[in-house]
Amino acid sequence: MTAISDLIQRDGLVVVCGSGGVGKTSVSAALGVLAATQTQKRVLVLTVDPAKRLANALGLSALGNTEVQITPELFKNSKTKLRGTLAAAMIDTKASWDELIIRHAPDEATRNTVLQNSLYKNLTERFVHSHDYIAVERLYQAHASGAYDLIIVDTPPSRNALTILDAPKRMQDFFSSRLLKLLTPSSQWQLLALAAKPFYEIADRLLGKGLLRDVAEFFTLFRTMETGFVERARNVEQLLHDSKTSFVVVTTLEDAPLSEAEFLSIALKERNFTTSFAIANRVIPKELKSGALLKQAEVLKQLRNDAEFTSELAGTLTSSETQIDANLLSQTMATIANYAQATTQIIEHQTALLDRVAAFANNFTSAPMLETDIADIDGLIALGESLNIG
Amino acid sequence: MLDRKLLFITGKGGVGKSTVAASLARAAVAQGKKVLLCEMDAKGALSKLLQTTELGFVPREISPNLSAMTMNTQDALREYVGIFLKTPLIAAIPGLAGIFDFVADAAPGVKEVLVVGKLCYEVRKGNFDIVIVDAESTGHIVAQVAAPTTLRNFVSIGPLNEQTLWMTEILEDPQKTGVVVVATCEEMAVNEAIDLVAALQSKTNVDTAAIVVNRVPSEVFTKSQEVVFAQLNLAKNKSIVAKKIGLNIDLALQATDLGRARRNLATHHISWLRSGLAQLQPIKDFLLLPDFSYEASDVLVNKLSSELEAELS
């Protein structure tokens, strides 16, 4: 079994995936902080939509599409210091699409026409799972720049975490689809275009006049960028399959996110991706042992009904400032006993679910349930350390 | 809220939309209503929650008065063509569905209109008292409910345009349609809920029927019990207490303290949510649902639906 420390020692890419709401973004940031404090690597964290407080925790007022270096100054009050460098950036889908168009457009006229097309904005928002494609595209871009040794990417929330893995392939398929060729006739497809004429007529009747034609016009322009897009998508796909790229699946110990994590992990294996880790997030702290908790709960339950005991203890706890009532003490003891008992049930439940994690992941680690949201660099350092300890 | 005809249940991913949708459906059935529950993303979460086999596009009664279906654009398109254009032959032309899927991906509002149109059609048909939609997460819902209007702005003439008019009538009538925004007591979920309500109010004419805060941890102590707990938890008292009891109760105190911390954090996020919403137009229902996340799914839905029934009556 490898540890998280091995993961961050390797150069390469880490794709953090999992169901929504399990803490992917915090985990990604914490892994980045851990890597940049434990190693001398140049680390980049790419995130989708960080909580304001998390962005603040990284010392950034707002994360933009451009990469921002996190200064050692941020660590000045922490015991842990930066040994490498740490940068963070947000993935802005619209801006990244614009960059892609600018890069791949054959000339300025095409570029401007596409960027100003009314269908374009709509397309960038949802076409071929564009958020997913952009996430991997940004990952590739950062990798190709050679500016980083380790890049950690937090994946966008999607209907199905798998869509991100298929995104580059879908982009390639899109350009080779018969449908696109039918809609955007080039010379050798003229005949087919003629065959498509009835489709246009029916489409006009069904959808409204000219809609299909507008769409076709847009795609004709879009196709001029085919070579660039396809080549890029192929490179991105190769990078995802490279042994340098590892996948980390994050889950909480609850049924729904865990089922998604299992599904995802199986799919990753089927597609021959390198799965490295499963992370169980928000686990009841390890020092809370269910046997001891149950015993304490039992004793408290017994003693709270012992009037002599409670009045004596109430007397002991009463100080000049605080008067403790025996009845109130008895109620409080009952609540503490209940919480202790309920916690043992959660521990048992989580232990059973942790077995499921162990069943699908060769390597897994966990992070404890936190009492507050992560709001500063120390919070990220602490989360990274607990991931490291496991 | 359950007197409306069409409810969209939405919220950030992971807040428990499906659970709330299923529980609302059960609560509506308990009120004697005939309910259609529709899953939008074919993920299968709903069938799992309701412990039934995979759902299809055709509504199926899974328990008395509760039917369920899963949305599918292709089927919605086929139905649209069949019903409104009375040209079933066209729908049968091979490849046509593919073309439409392609166009629908590109043109604003087409896909959404097909989907929302199907839901409105179920409302109009009147086979059910209420249609409850386990909708997509926050990113898509505004586009979805505003789709008929968006499309009207884009395609000026044509049958699809005409069809959007009656849909808008249903969607923009607060007696008939409402969006239920689900959040949990977490920073991101709360922020998304506030942003979503603001977007719904500024970009659409669809009413927000309710805010549901899911998985709210219960209060641990009353104020006076807090004082007692603080005394028990004082470092200098711990050994005295341990001696009296004959056992160290540190872990029990720590477990209780974890509960208190979670509750405090939740209260903080709920008040943040309330103050965010206070800047916007008022929303009728604000419901807090207890944390049952460690229950098995069938128990969870039963417990939540009882809570909802109590809260809504």
Side-chain angles (χ1 to χ4, degrees):
Chain A
M1 186 162 149
T2 40
I4 275 286
S5 57
D6 296 331
L7 183 78
I8 56 160
Q9 290 295 340
R10 284 202 297 258
D11 284 355
L13 305 107
V14 176
V15 183
V16 180
C17 41
S19 178
V22 296
K24 279 194 295 276
T25 311
S26 310
V27 165
S28 306
L31 284 175
V33 169
L34 186 70
T37 53
Q38 303 280 311
T39 75
Q40 293 182 322
K41 287 185 197 309
R42 300 165 300 164
V43 182
L44 170 69
V45 176
L46 280 172
T47 176
V48 183
D49 184 18
K52 280 192 196 80
R53 292 170 73 169
L54 185 63
N56 292 344
L58 289 169
L60 308 164
S61 52
L63 288 173
N65 208 25
T66 45
E67 291 139 29
V68 180
Q69 282 295 332
I70 287 148
T71 58
E73 177 75 355
L74 188 69
F75 290 79
K76 70 171 191 288
N77 295 326
S78 308
K79 267 188 263 157
T80 311
K81 304 287 176 202
L82 270 183
R83 288 176 60 204
T85 63
L86 179 61
M90 202 174 108
I91 299 168
D92 178 335
T93 306
K94 175 72 171 70
S96 302
W97 262 104
D98 291 354
E99 281 171 28
L100 273 181
I101 300 292
I102 292 164
R103 185 178 320 123
H104 296 311
D107 51 65
E108 206 174 326
T110 312
R111 180 179 88 193
N112 293 341
T113 322
V114 170
L115 291 178
Q116 282 152 25
N117 189 293
S118 62
L119 289 169
Y120 170 68
K121 187 180 172 290
N122 181 62
L123 262 175
T124 54
E125 271 168 14
R126 35 180 227 170
F127 165 67
V128 278
H129 298 269
S130 86
H131 296 287
D132 296 320
Y133 182 72
I134 289 299
V136 284
E137 158 70 32
R138 280 297 305 279
L139 184 64
Y140 177 82
Q141 200 183 319
H143 170 73
S145 77
Y148 304 100
D149 306 310
L150 179 68
I151 303 167
I152 296 158
V153 65
D154 166 28
T155 54
S158 65
R159 185 184 282 207
N160 177 332
L162 275 180
T163 56
I164 191 160
L165 308 177
D166 299 331
K169 183 86 181 68
R170 256 193 324 265
M171 182 59 86
Q172 294 168 56
D173 289 348
F174 165 75
F175 278 105
S176 58
S177 76
R178 227 184 103 235
L179 227 51
L180 181 71
K181 290 180 173 147
L182 206 69
L183 277 172
T184 60
S186 58
S187 53
Q188 79 253 44
W189 285 84
Q190 282 296 346
L191 257 176
L192 245 171
L194 214 64
K197 223 181 154 207
F199 280 120
Y200 277 88
E201 280 162 16
I202 296 162
D204 281 355
R205 277 184 58 199
L206 280 173
L207 295 167
K209 217 167 170 47
L211 179 60
L212 189 56
R213 209 162 299 270
D214 287 350
V215 172
E217 261 170 35
F218 174 74
F219 280 122
T220 306
L221 279 176
F222 201 68
R223 274 196 73 193
T224 62
M225 295 178 266
E226 176 170 354
T227 322
F229 261 99
V230 168
E231 197 189 291
R232 183 67 161 213
R234 204 172 288 139
N235 291 340
V236 172
E237 196 188 8
Q238 265 170 19
L239 181 63
L240 283 183
H241 275 285
D242 197 290
S243 60
K244 280 200 287 286
T245 306
S246 21
F247 288 81
V248 169
V249 181
V250 185
T251 183
T252 50
L253 295 177
E254 288 161 297
D255 191 53
L258 183 56
S259 301
E260 172 108 10
E262 284 170 333
F263 168 76
L264 189 60
S265 165
I266 291 166
L268 282 165
K269 273 180 204 145
E270 278 170 5
R271 281 153 217 238
N272 296 318
F273 286 110
T274 319
T275 14
S276 299
F277 253 92
I279 291 175
N281 199 11
R282 301 193 193 125
V283 181
I284 295 277
K286 286 207 170 68
E287 62 269 26
L288 292 176
K289 297 265 186 279
S290 71
L293 275 170
L294 265 186
K295 188 147 185 246
Q296 293 175 18
E298 265 168 44
V299 173
L300 283 166
K301 272 191 180 161
Q302 214 172 15
L303 288 176
R304 71 158 291 221
N305 290 322
D306 183 338
E308 201 182 323
F309 174 84
T310 50
S311 66
E312 206 185 302
L313 184 60
T316 314
L317 291 173
T318 295
S319 63
S320 51
E321 306 99 64
T322 333
Q323 169 82 32
I324 299 294
D325 173 78
N327 235 334
L328 221 55
L329 175 64
S330 167
Q331 289 165 21
T332 310
M333 286 166 70
T335 307
I336 296 170
N338 286 341
Y339 265 84
Q341 207 167 357
T343 306
T344 64
Q345 281 166 15
I346 299 174
I347 293 171
E348 272 158 37
H349 179 81
Q350 289 199 338
T351 310
L353 293 185
L354 204 57
D355 287 344
R356 274 170 63 187
V357 176
F360 74 74
N362 296 330
N363 307 312
F364 65 95
T365 183
S366 59
M369 187 182 275
L370 299 175
E371 298 195 356
T372 55
D373 291 337
I374 290 178
D376 55 22
I377 198 74
D378 283 336
L380 288 174
I381 293 171
L383 177 56
E385 275 165 5
S386 18
L387 288 172
N388 204 11
I389 296 161
Chain B
M1 155 160 78
L2 293 176
D3 291 332
R4 303 194 198 208
K5 298 287 168 202
L6 178 58
L7 285 181
F8 291 89
I9 319 300
T10 185
K12 184 182 185 292
V15 296
K17 284 185 292 290
S18 302
T19 322
V20 171
S23 308
L24 272 172
R26 288 248 191 255
V29 170
Q31 286 187 2
K33 292 190 161 55
K34 223 176 147 206
V35 182
L36 172 63
L37 188 55
C38 175
E39 175 177 58
M40 290 302 255
D41 64 1
K43 217 168 167 180
L46 210 51
S47 58
K48 212 177 159 196
L49 271 176
L50 298 167
Q51 298 187 303
T52 182
T53 50
E54 208 176 311
L55 301 169
F57 183 71
V58 179
R60 186 181 81 223
E61 189 162 35
I62 53 172
S63 62
N65 287 329
L66 178 60
S67 297
M69 63 169 284
T70 185
M71 186 53 77
N72 175 324
T73 332
Q74 299 262 345
D75 286 326
L77 171 72
R78 215 159 289 144
E79 197 178 78
Y80 162 77
V81 173
I83 297 163
F84 296 114
L85 302 178
K86 305 193 175 54
T87 49
L89 271 178
I90 292 177
I93 296 177
L96 188 68
I99 291 240
F100 276 104
D101 220 40
F102 198 86
V103 175
D105 251 331
V110 174
K111 216 160 209 170
E112 285 85 354
V113 160
L114 288 172
V115 162
V116 168
K118 165 67 178 172
L119 298 169
C120 291
Y121 179 62
E122 288 298 336
V123 171
R124 197 163 82 158
K125 265 203 303 192
N127 287 346
F128 301 97
D129 297 312
I130 183 168
V131 178
I132 296 176
V133 188
D134 175 12
E136 293 182 54
S137 51
T138 38
H140 299 99
I141 192 79
V142 172
Q144 216 155 51
V145 295
T149 314
T150 313
L151 190 69
R152 249 199 325 279
N153 294 336
F154 198 78
V155 205
S156 41
I157 42 166
L160 199 57
N161 181 335
E162 286 155 33
Q163 293 303 334
T164 59
L165 288 169
W166 66 268
M167 292 178 199
T168 306
E169 261 167 47
I170 292 177
L171 290 168
E172 296 189 352
D173 181 350
Q175 305 286 329
K176 286 189 178 141
T177 301
V179 177
V180 175
V181 179
V182 185
T184 51
C185 320
E186 284 155 13
E187 186 186 359
M188 288 305 281
V190 162
N191 287 343
E192 269 198 40
I194 297 169
D195 291 348
L196 175 62
V197 174
L200 282 168
Q201 292 183 350
S202 63
K203 292 183 186 162
T204 78
N205 294 315
V206 182
D207 187 50
T208 306
I211 304 291
V212 175
V213 188
N214 195 18
R215 296 191 208 134
V216 181
S218 51
E219 187 174 55
V220 178
F221 290 122
T222 61
K223 271 209 176 108
S224 43
Q225 288 171 354
E226 278 290 342
V227 178
V228 181
F229 179 76
Q231 284 299 109
L232 284 169
N233 212 16
L234 267 183
K236 69 171 169 81
N237 284 344
K238 277 188 176 171
S239 55
I240 302 170
V241 175
K243 213 168 173 189
K244 282 250 183 255
I245 293 181
L247 183 76
N248 182 321
I249 56 159
D250 278 2
L251 291 183
L253 291 172
Q254 196 189 334
T256 313
D257 214 21
L258 189 63
R260 286 174 70 245
R262 289 192 60 214
R263 168 71 184 185
N264 285 343
L265 192 59
T267 317
H268 167 79
H269 289 310
I270 292 169
S271 54
W272 176 251
L273 176 60
R274 281 190 196 274
S275 64
L277 293 172
Q279 315 290 318
L280 306 167
Q281 290 159 41
I283 295 160
K284 205 170 150 265
D285 287 316
F286 188 98
L287 307 178
L288 300 178
L289 295 177
D291 186 5
F292 295 129
S293 51
Y294 291 101
E295 301 283 1
S297 36
D298 51 333
V299 183
L300 173 68
V301 172
N302 283 339
K303 284 196 168 180
L304 277 184
S305 61
S306 321
E307 284 288 330
L308 280 164
E309 265 179 79
E311 287 256 5
L312 291 169
S313 62

